[in-house]
């Protein structure tokens, strides 16, 4: 996790901010849940500390997926994921091994150079995240942020010990209030300037608007994306976005049962006249132990398939 450079919102959170009333502020308004393929996710939690998640995505005629499991015991969490390419990814996380410190170790089989050690330290007004790639010549990454609930400064650097050079260095400043957030980030070794703004419109309906602007100094190119979200009722949320290339997208998400969602996404590009509009369907199901469900999904070919869970 990067505490300094946080996706589209560019939020720089160091502590919990319960003053924000709009739930959309805590998610990625411009990109989260947009999916233009067929995606299915099944999650089965367990009170014993062992949970299982299965995910599958159909892109054209290609199907990819993975199965992951998580085991919690005290301060230790073990995550294991197996994908369709027979890669096994494992992450072992220990919370509060030392006060305020979170330690995690991850590796992927059969990649022998994938070992990585992360150390995260959180304080009321400061955060430090360091990563070391465990190879004979390690790659080091360090991110740090400091500030208050309203104003935060942060930076991150990456150093390759093999070439004795910096692989990345970014910095950012963020300003947060109870109903809006703004950030300015200098990324890509100073080659890109990113500005982000999110404004809550109606905390009752969860309505919010967001804008993301990018300027690249090497090409003098500019791009922007604007978006919005609005809850029609406590169970249905509508999101829209539009960018400078003319692409328009809309998303409708329905929580048909607690923590289970059905999401429809569509995108139209007026510049691609020969390409049809893209549409996607994502089903996310949370199944408690002992619960049996039947799922009916309409795929792109119009065929109906009923699966017993």
């Amino acid at each position: 996790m990067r505490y300094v450079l946080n996706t589209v919102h560019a939020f720089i959170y160091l502590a919990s901010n319960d003053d924000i009333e709009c739930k959309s502020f805590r998610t990625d308004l411009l990109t989260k849940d947009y999916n233009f393929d067929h995606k299915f996710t099944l999650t089965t939690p367990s009170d014993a500390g062992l949970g299982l998640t299965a995910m599958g995505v159909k892109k054209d005629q290609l199907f990819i997926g993975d199965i992951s499991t998580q085991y919690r015991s005290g301060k230790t969490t073990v995550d294991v994921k197996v994908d369709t390419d027979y890669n096994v990814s494992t992450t072992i996380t220990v919370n509060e091994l030392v006060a305020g410190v979170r330690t995690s170790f991850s590796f992927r089989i059969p990649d022998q150079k994938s070992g990585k050690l992360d150390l995260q330290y959180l304080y009321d007004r400061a955060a430090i995240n360091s990563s070391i790639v465990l190879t004979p010549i390690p790659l080091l990454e360090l991110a740090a942020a400091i500030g208050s609930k309203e104003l935060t400064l942060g930076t991150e650097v990456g150093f390759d010990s093999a070439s004795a050079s910096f692989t990345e260095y970014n910095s950012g400043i963020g300003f947060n209030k109870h109903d809006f957030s703004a950030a300015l980030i200098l990324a890509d070794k100073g080659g890109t300037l990113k500005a982000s703004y999110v404004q809550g419109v109606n905390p009752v309906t969860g309505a919010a608007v967001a804008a993301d602007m990018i300027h690249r100094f090497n090409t003098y190119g500019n791009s922007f994306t604007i978006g919005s979200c609005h809850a029609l009722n406590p169970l249905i949320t509508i999101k829209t976005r539009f960018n400078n290339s003319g692409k328009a997208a809309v998303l409708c998400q329905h929580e048909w049962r607690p923590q289970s969602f059905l999401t429809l996404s569509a995108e139209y590009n007026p510049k691609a006249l020969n390409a049809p509009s893209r549409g996607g369907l994502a089903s996310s199901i949370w199944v408690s132990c002992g619960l049996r469900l039947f799922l009916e999904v309409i795929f792109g070919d119009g065929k109906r398939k009923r699966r017993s869970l």
Side-chain angles (χ1 to χ4, degrees):
M1 179 183 294
R2 293 183 175 182
Y3 294 99
V4 182
L5 306 181
N6 190 12
T7 62
V8 174
H9 278 195
F11 274 174
I12 306 176
Y13 277 119
L14 299 181
S16 61
N17 189 351
D18 295 331
D19 294 333
I20 294 181
E21 298 178 357
C22 180
K23 290 175 61 179
S24 302
F25 278 74
R26 295 190 181 276
T27 61
D28 193 336
L29 187 150
L30 296 179
T31 61
K32 181 176 173 61
D33 295 325
Y34 280 97
N35 174 69
F36 303 108
D37 300 295
H38 298 115
K39 182 178 179 180
F40 173 71
T41 304
L42 174 66
T43 302
T44 58
S46 172
D47 296 335
L50 180 64
L52 181 69
T53 299
M55 187 275 293
V57 178
K58 181 184 178 184
K59 296 183 178 181
D60 297 326
Q61 301 301 318
L62 180 64
F63 179 84
I64 58 176
D66 59 63
I67 298 177
S68 60
T69 182
Q70 183 181 85
Y71 176 73
R72 295 177 180 269
S73 177
K75 299 180 180 180
T76 303
T77 303
V78 180
D79 295 273
V80 179
K81 181 172 69 174
V82 182
D83 61 27
T84 49
D85 292 327
Y86 305 105
N87 295 311
V88 181
S89 303
T90 303
T91 302
I92 302 173
T93 304
V94 181
N95 291 310
E96 298 293 331
L97 185 62
V98 179
V101 177
R102 178 183 179 183
T103 306
S104 63
F105 171 65
S106 61
F107 59 92
R108 185 172 63 253
I109 300 174
D111 188 354
Q112 299 178 356
K113 299 181 179 180
S114 61
K116 187 176 182 180
L117 178 65
D118 288 275
L119 297 176
Q120 301 171 0
Y121 174 74
L122 291 177
Y123 191 63
D124 290 340
R125 293 294 176 262
I128 298 176
N129 181 40
S130 62
S131 300
I132 303 175
V133 178
L134 303 177
T135 58
I137 305 177
L139 177 66
L140 309 176
E141 295 179 351
L142 176 66
I146 187 171
S148 63
K149 181 181 293 187
E150 294 186 350
L151 181 65
T152 308
L153 301 173
T155 186
E156 66 175 357
V157 295
F159 183 77
D160 187 356
S161 58
S163 60
S165 61
F166 288 98
T167 58
E168 64 177 349
Y169 40 86
N170 310 308
S171 60
I173 180 172
F175 184 72
N176 301 300
K177 296 292 286 186
H178 72 283
D179 59 346
F180 77 90
S181 177
L184 192 64
I185 294 174
L186 188 63
D188 300 331
K189 300 181 181 181
T192 303
L193 183 64
K194 300 180 180 181
S196 206
Y197 182 81
V198 185
Q199 173 72 57
V201 178
N202 189 332
V204 177
T205 62
V209 293
D212 182 34
M213 292 158 283
I214 300 175
H215 174 74
R216 293 177 174 82
F217 294 104
N218 55 347
T219 61
Y220 300 99
N222 298 299
S223 62
F224 70 86
T225 303
I226 57 176
S228 67
C229 72
H230 178 77
L232 299 180
N233 56 53
L235 301 178
I236 299 178
T237 300
I238 301 293
K239 295 169 65 176
T240 61
R241 74 179 182 194
F242 178 82
N243 64 19
N244 59 292
S245 64
K247 287 185 180 181
V250 62
L251 176 152
C252 179
Q253 186 173 77
H254 173 51
E255 186 176 7
W256 54 278
R257 61 183 302 272
Q259 303 185 62
S260 297
F261 299 90
L262 182 65
T263 305
L264 296 173
S265 305
E267 182 183 65
Y268 173 69
N269 185 0
K271 295 183 179 181
L273 299 179
N274 296 327
S277 301
R278 295 196 300 166
L281 170 65
S283 300
S284 177
I285 301 179
W286 183 280
V287 182
S288 300
C289 295
L291 181 62
R292 186 176 178 86
L293 297 177
F294 288 96
L295 174 69
E296 185 174 76
V297 178
I298 304 176
F299 292 88
D301 55 6
K303 296 180 180 180
R304 297 176 180 265
K305 296 183 178 181
R306 196 177 188 185
R307 303 289 179 85
S308 175
L309 304 177

